[in-house]
Amino acid sequence: MFNDINDVIKKLAEQDYIADQRIGTLVYLAAKLEKPILVEGPAGVGKTDLARRVAACLGRELIRLQCYEGLDESKALYEWEYSKQLLYTQILKDKITEVVADAKTLEEATDRIYNQDDVFFSERFLLPRPLLKAIESDEPTVLLIDEIDKADSEFEAFLLEVLSDFTVSVPEIGTLEAKHKPFVVLTSNNTREMSDAIKRRCLHLYIDFPDGQRELEIVRMKVPGVQDELLKDLVDFVQEIRKKDLKKIPSISETLDWARALTLLNAQSLGDEIVQGTLNTILKYEGDVIKAERELRHFLDRKRAEAANPAEVKDEKKEFLN
Amino acid sequence: MDDKVVEFAGILRKNGIRVSSSEVIDAMQMLREISLGEREIVKDALRGALVKRAIDIRPYNEIFDLYFSDAGQLLGNPADDLANRLINGGAEGMEEFQHMMQNAIEEMTGELSELTEALMRGDRGKIDQLLHDAAEKAELSEIQNVLQVGQFANRIRQALNLDGVEIDLQKLQDKLRGKGMPEEVIEETFKQLEGRIEKLREAIREFVQNQLELEHYDDLTRARDEQMMNRPLYQLSADDVQRMKDTVQRLVERLKSIIQIKRKRKKRGRFDVKKTMRESMQYGGIPFHLKFQDKIIDKPDIVVLCDISDSVRNVSRFFLQFVYSLQEVFSRVRTFVFVSELGEATPFFGEFEVSQAIEKTLWGDVVNTFAHSNYGRALEMFRRDHFSSVREDKTYVIVIGDGRNNYNVANEWVIRDIQAKAKRVIWLNPEARSSWGYGDSEMTKYLEYVDEIHHCQNLNDLAKVIDELIKAELS
């Protein structure tokens, strides 16, 4: 486990995940208090990735349950393997005939079969789905329940039960209890408000778009080989464009795509001719792209002015800070 | 610390943030795991336990800052230890003075008040603690209104014994002088200390102000929200517009979730023989699973006709905002705007982000907005070109406008046709009922063929309309 908050941040950094203090604090506390953690925030800020990296940090297996509309218990928890059961009965037909061979009445035969029930309803024929896998695992795991907002609210209610005591009761077998409480991470894109009940049981972490410094570090780490000058401009520009009224705001993953595209194209600075054509890697709507192109021109003009007359601009900045 | 968490949670609750007891317990457990020295970490941790909705984050931050106001921080940044600097730092040749100072302070231990020492050492934590103690003594939580700020600040000053500090300093000064410390060094040192005391005075006032805001934070924000909800739509400021956007978003979310519930309820249809048989093949024909047909669900179909003429322009901005959100949420919304001519704004709303789409619409990118409104003509155009957008008994038609027709032909028969075909016709009118039918208002003529009519002048009205829409949709 983690020693303290800084330890979390350090270990995540070793796994190529730049966490800010808030992320570190919440992950540390969730681990310490053994509580599930609900991660919300806009798409593409690294919610799923956080779970993955935490698993790597702790050296645990990551068990992932992707939610979608119509997801139910049999897909999430366990399912009986009917076909396998059927196959076995077919193959073992002779044996079964043997068992009931000298039974005198139908009732006696039924009883004998009934006594063998356990064979067919044992864990052997139980197909564990992610939730049961996490509970049954001999080693502690990290359980990621991804995009919980996509699942129906009934499923949410069912999940509550599992999350509160980590036991599952299978009618034919009995209650299965978790050997180790998994570290649970739930993510939500906020397409709908989660129920209060589930929120109450989780610690809540809202990850927003990163600030410039953090984004810079992230891009530097994930896309090595971007020149410092270009990298700084690129992040500055993305940060700026996020404040604009856009239909879809670019997220970190889009910044990374853009950085990759620019490295592939061997761009030296944002002023290059080729950059104009790459804006659609960060923006997904035509209207946004047009707006961003204009913004980019302003941005470059401003930079040029800054380069031409650095002292003046700096003073202005200083004044602003004061 | 536990009491503090409980009290803090109480204040959050008062401000409309839902906090359950189990969450308070979580918060307490959390605080045992982290060092309380780091304010930001405490803030993050408490937020993780107590605040579960993104919209509550902003009020939480504000309340946290008010409640755990770091009074020491109000002092600015006197982190450098003045006494220490005098004792250990300084230029060469100062050793003598340092020695003097140290002696003086040592000799006076016990004579100087805690506050004086804290001020000299720049110990913010200590100052903060003393300030809170004094506030308790002065019964600061009783504060009622702005007029009492001065009075309470005074009481706290007395409780802190701020005057005593001045006397202490005077004594210290005398002592140093007696030891033969040069006058200019004394002066320099004590000028800084005076500055700190002055800052502390300001800090006390600010502290009281914070407390007042905290006690009434709830009232302030709620009053602001309520005011906005009831204010006529054309009087809103830019800040209000942002809040209004959030509110509309919430209303639309509510509409959406209720419609989803309804869909769910209706989803399971008749027993499906074919599917059940197909599914049971793998079990040798034994029907393990029963399969049902999915009912085909009608997605709500909305057609909006919005007047954007001068007379309602300021209001229509907000209606368009609402319609824009509708269009984002529902797949089948078609938006038409009109002044004298009618045009479709749907693709616009799909392509541009909200304010731009609205701006473009209002500035004549869809229809000429510098004409005079002509309902009759616009309706006729709708009947001729877009009547097919209204589906037989499936479509809600929402008309937004004041019905002021500049004495043109009313053409109310179009509304009659629409009503005959659509599921419901709803008219939202920003004008008060009493003025309908007077002057060039043709409302009385249109009224006859409208299923629902709402006087819709502010957000509250809009909310009511949505509620009724939902009810109709559910029944």
Side-chain angles (χ1 to χ4, degrees):
Chain A
M1 273 294 170
F2 301 109
N3 297 328
D4 57 30
I5 294 166
N6 287 330
D7 189 39
V8 177
I9 296 174
K10 205 182 90 221
K11 281 188 176 149
L12 281 172
E14 280 163 17
Q15 297 298 330
D16 287 358
Y17 190 94
I18 313 271
D20 58 15
Q21 186 173 283
R22 181 170 304 131
I23 297 177
T25 308
L26 267 296
V27 168
Y28 171 71
L29 287 170
K32 198 88 191 170
L33 302 179
E34 297 194 322
K35 288 214 137 234
I37 182 167
L38 171 64
V39 189
E40 286 189 300
V45 290
K47 298 187 292 290
T48 306
D49 210 32
L50 177 63
R52 208 175 286 141
R53 304 300 167 175
V54 168
C57 282
L58 297 171
R60 294 182 175 188
E61 189 196 349
L62 178 79
I63 297 176
R64 177 172 173 169
L65 173 65
Q66 172 68 45
C67 296
Y68 50 87
E69 215 179 305
L71 175 69
D72 57 8
E73 280 182 57
S74 65
K75 297 272 165 41
L77 194 55
Y78 70 89
E79 209 172 8
W80 288 109
E81 270 188 287
Y82 291 113
S83 37
K84 200 167 161 192
Q85 284 168 329
L86 219 60
L87 195 66
Y88 273 59
T89 33
Q90 287 296 322
I91 295 169
L92 301 174
K93 222 175 194 165
D94 298 343
K95 199 75 200 159
I96 295 167
T97 331
E98 218 171 86
V99 171
V100 293
D102 55 339
K104 299 209 165 46
T105 61
L106 192 60
E107 200 183 352
E108 202 186 332
T110 316
D111 278 347
R112 282 195 194 168
I113 296 282
Y114 179 79
N115 288 336
Q116 309 293 322
D117 229 14
D118 293 353
V119 180
F120 290 102
F121 287 101
S122 62
E123 285 184 47
R124 193 177 315 196
F125 295 101
L126 206 59
L127 195 64
R129 299 290 188 186
L131 286 181
L132 188 60
K133 238 190 247 169
I135 285 172
E136 272 192 319
S137 167
D138 290 322
E139 300 292 324
T141 56
V142 173
L143 173 62
L144 166 64
I145 300 171
D146 215 1
E147 304 192 13
I148 168 88
D149 51 331
K150 298 263 160 59
D152 314 308
S153 32
E154 294 100 65
F155 181 74
E156 217 179 290
F158 155 76
L159 207 56
L160 277 181
E161 203 188 309
V162 181
L163 288 186
S164 55
D165 42 5
F166 288 102
T167 56
V168 170
S169 53
V170 182
E172 293 87 348
I173 295 177
T175 306
L176 301 171
E177 203 170 327
K179 296 184 183 98
H180 308 274
K181 254 190 178 180
F183 184 97
V184 184
V185 181
L186 301 102
T187 75
S188 154
N189 272 335
N190 253 334
T191 54
R192 71 183 169 87
E193 196 67 45
M194 310 306 307
S195 78
D196 276 353
I198 206 148
K199 284 188 165 174
R200 229 177 7 246
R201 279 170 180 77
C202 301
L203 301 185
H204 189 262
L205 171 62
Y206 188 87
I207 305 186
D208 213 339
F209 294 117
D211 58 21
Q213 188 53 38
R214 195 171 149 238
E215 185 157 33
L216 198 80
E217 284 172 40
I218 294 171
V219 178
R220 189 177 285 145
M221 180 168 276
K222 302 261 175 172
V223 192
V226 188
Q227 285 175 14
D228 273 357
E229 179 82 0
L230 175 63
L231 180 68
K232 202 178 148 311
D233 286 352
L234 180 145
V235 170
D236 279 352
F237 180 65
V238 173
Q239 289 274 334
E240 206 162 292
I241 200 124
R242 270 194 202 124
K243 293 190 203 116
K244 298 285 180 294
D245 232 349
L246 295 176
K247 221 168 147 64
K248 185 179 175 312
I249 299 169
S251 65
I252 307 178
S253 44
E254 270 122 16
T255 317
L256 292 175
D257 284 346
W258 199 27
R260 271 186 211 113
L262 292 184
T263 11
L264 281 178
L265 293 171
N266 217 356
Q268 300 298 318
S269 83
L270 282 190
D272 284 5
E273 200 63 32
I274 28 174
V275 174
Q276 289 285 341
T278 58
L279 278 172
N280 51 9
T281 49
I282 49 170
L283 298 162
K284 313 290 168 172
Y285 287 91
E286 193 53 35
D288 286 357
V289 173
I290 293 167
K291 210 179 222 182
E293 275 168 4
R294 206 172 45 226
E295 246 1 278
L296 183 61
R297 273 197 298 280
H298 289 323
F299 181 78
L300 292 171
D301 286 348
R302 220 167 31 240
K303 252 200 54 176
R304 229 166 283 141
E306 222 169 294
N309 210 343
E312 200 177 295
V313 182
K314 242 179 216 152
D315 274 354
E316 225 169 82
K317 249 188 197 158
K318 220 186 206 165
E319 227 162 75
F320 172 73
L321 283 176
N322 286 336
Chain B
M1 195 62 195
D2 284 0
D3 315 344
K4 281 226 156 194
V5 174
V6 172
E7 195 189 357
F8 182 56
I11 293 172
L12 290 179
R13 277 191 202 118
K14 237 171 67 181
N15 288 295
I17 299 177
R18 271 170 289 177
V19 181
S20 72
S21 317
S22 67
E23 283 165 329
V24 175
I25 295 170
D26 285 349
M28 290 174 185
Q29 282 177 337
M30 275 179 155
L31 293 186
R32 288 196 188 104
E33 302 293 340
I34 56 176
S35 87
L36 298 178
E38 291 205 47
R39 191 180 151 79
E40 282 307 310
I41 292 183
V42 173
K43 191 171 176 178
D44 289 341
L46 286 181
R47 184 173 126 181
L50 302 175
V51 183
K52 307 288 168 83
R53 291 187 303 176
I55 48 166
D56 289 338
I57 290 176
R58 200 175 56 125
Y60 167 81
N61 283 339
E62 284 173 19
I63 295 169
F64 183 92
D65 288 341
L66 286 174
Y67 184 78
F68 292 99
S69 61
D70 184 356
Q73 203 175 22
L74 296 178
L75 282 175
N77 196 8
D80 64 301
D81 186 336
L82 200 56
N84 203 32
R85 204 172 67 199
L86 283 168
I87 294 164
N88 297 322
E92 286 169 58
M94 293 283 284
E95 282 160 39
E96 215 181 324
F97 309 132
Q98 289 157 13
H99 208 65
M100 276 182 215
M101 191 81 183
Q102 190 155 19
N103 273 343
I105 291 178
E106 267 168 27
E107 279 172 35
M108 292 187 71
T109 333
E111 270 180 68
L112 296 179
S113 73
E114 275 184 296
L115 182 62
T116 315
E117 276 194 37
L119 276 174
M120 291 190 65
R121 299 208 174 274
D123 184 349
R124 273 161 46 180
K126 185 76 189 167
I127 295 173
D128 193 34
Q129 189 205 328
L130 289 171
L131 190 52
H132 274 100
D133 291 348
E136 209 162 299
K137 235 184 268 170
E139 294 172 333
L140 183 58
S141 55
E142 303 288 316
I143 190 165
Q144 289 296 333
N145 60 48
V146 180
L147 298 175
Q148 293 171 306
V149 170
Q151 184 192 341
F152 274 93
N154 244 337
R155 274 203 225 168
I156 291 180
R157 255 173 241 142
Q158 275 166 15
L160 270 177
N161 195 8
L162 208 57
D163 297 337
V165 174
E166 309 235 358
I167 298 168
D168 279 351
L169 289 185
Q170 199 56 50
K171 273 195 239 163
L172 189 64
Q173 220 165 347
D174 290 345
K175 188 136 222 161
L176 288 174
R177 225 175 253 127
K179 283 184 183 282
M181 191 180 250
E183 199 58 38
E184 66 259 28
V185 179
I186 295 181
E187 223 167 84
E188 177 59 30
T189 311
F190 285 85
K191 217 165 76 193
Q192 288 203 34
L193 277 172
E194 288 293 341
R196 275 185 195 178
I197 293 172
E198 201 41 54
K199 271 195 179 150
L200 181 62
R201 276 180 200 283
E202 281 167 35
I204 290 171
R205 213 184 156 77
E206 203 167 320
F207 182 71
V208 174
Q209 202 92 39
N210 274 352
Q211 182 67 30
L212 179 71
E213 259 181 61
L214 186 62
E215 291 292 320
H216 299 278
Y217 179 84
D218 179 32
D219 307 348
L220 290 176
T221 41
R222 188 164 299 162
R224 211 153 53 206
D225 279 351
E226 236 156 61
Q227 240 179 28
M228 187 188 69
M229 288 292 274
N230 287 319
R231 201 139 18 116
L233 293 174
Y234 50 83
Q235 285 180 6
L236 301 178
S237 71
D239 195 31
D240 291 338
V241 172
Q242 190 50 47
R243 295 163 83 89
M244 145 105 196
K245 274 186 191 173
D246 297 346
T247 315
V248 169
Q249 195 58 38
R250 270 211 298 279
L251 291 175
V252 172
E253 282 295 320
R254 201 160 91 216
L255 186 64
K256 190 179 161 194
S257 68
I258 290 189
I259 286 179
Q260 266 170 351
I261 294 170
K262 188 196 162 202
R263 277 188 207 164
K264 182 118 277 156
R265 230 187 269 160
K266 278 197 167 172
K267 204 166 181 178
R268 209 155 110 156
R270 286 181 16 222
F271 176 61
D272 190 334
V273 184
K274 271 192 281 181
K275 247 194 213 164
T276 308
M277 283 175 65
R278 205 178 305 132
E279 189 79 2
S280 62
M281 295 293 261
Q282 54 174 317
Y283 312 126
I286 305 156
F288 269 116
H289 296 295
L290 301 185
K291 290 286 162 189
F292 295 88
Q293 282 171 346
D294 280 348
K295 240 188 196 169
I296 297 158
I297 299 143
D298 262 339
K299 291 202 176 125
D301 221 22
I302 301 173
V303 168
V304 183
L305 302 176
C306 190
D307 179 2
I308 53 169
S309 68
D310 259 345
S311 59
V312 288
R313 179 176 284 182
N314 285 313
V315 196
S316 49
R317 182 182 296 271
F318 296 94
F319 285 127
L320 284 177
Q321 159 91 43
F322 172 65
V323 174
Y324 184 91
S325 313
L326 275 183
Q327 204 171 311
E328 278 190 333
V329 174
F330 301 110
S331 47
R332 295 162 174 273
V333 181
R334 292 185 68 177
T335 311
F336 299 93
V337 293
F338 63 90
V339 179
S340 160
E341 290 174 335
L342 175 123
E344 180 162 11
T346 320
F348 250 70
F349 283 15
E351 178 58 38
F352 297 102
E353 48 75 32
V354 57
S355 57
Q356 209 181 351
I358 292 175
E359 231 40 63
K360 276 181 183 291
T361 312
L362 290 180
W363 284 102
D365 276 33
V366 183
V367 293
N368 176 12
T369 47
F370 298 101
H372 293 290
S373 43
N374 186 340
Y375 277 67
R377 190 173 139 83
L379 285 172
E380 210 176 349
M381 276 178 82
F382 180 77
R383 179 71 179 84
R384 190 185 67 210
D385 300 334
H386 303 290
F387 197 55
S388 57
S389 65
V390 179
R391 287 196 304 155
E392 195 83 47
D393 206 25
K394 295 233 157 74
T395 307
Y396 286 95
V397 177
I398 303 177
V399 188
I400 300 169
D402 56 2
R404 296 214 167 264
N405 200 19
N406 290 314
Y407 302 104
N408 292 307
V409 190
N411 281 342
E412 65 269 27
W413 59 272
V414 179
I415 300 285
R416 190 191 63 212
D417 278 7
I418 293 175
Q419 193 197 26
K421 194 176 178 192
K423 188 166 184 185
R424 261 187 121 63
V425 179
I426 301 161
W427 193 302
L428 307 179
N429 192 334
E431 258 189 12
R433 249 166 225 274
S434 51
S435 54
W436 296 354
Y438 290 95
D440 59 347
S441 169
E442 302 285 4
M443 268 326 280
T444 39
K445 287 192 187 152
Y446 295 129
L447 253 177
E448 258 183 80
Y449 308 110
V450 172
D451 298 299
E452 267 176 62
I453 175 108
H454 298 278
H455 167 220
C456 199
Q457 202 197 3
N458 53 40
L459 277 179
N460 260 340
D461 294 340
L462 196 56
K464 259 185 238 155
V465 173
I466 291 172
D467 272 344
E468 271 170 50
L469 256 179
I470 292 166
K471 259 186 241 150
E473 180 71 4
L474 277 176
S475 58

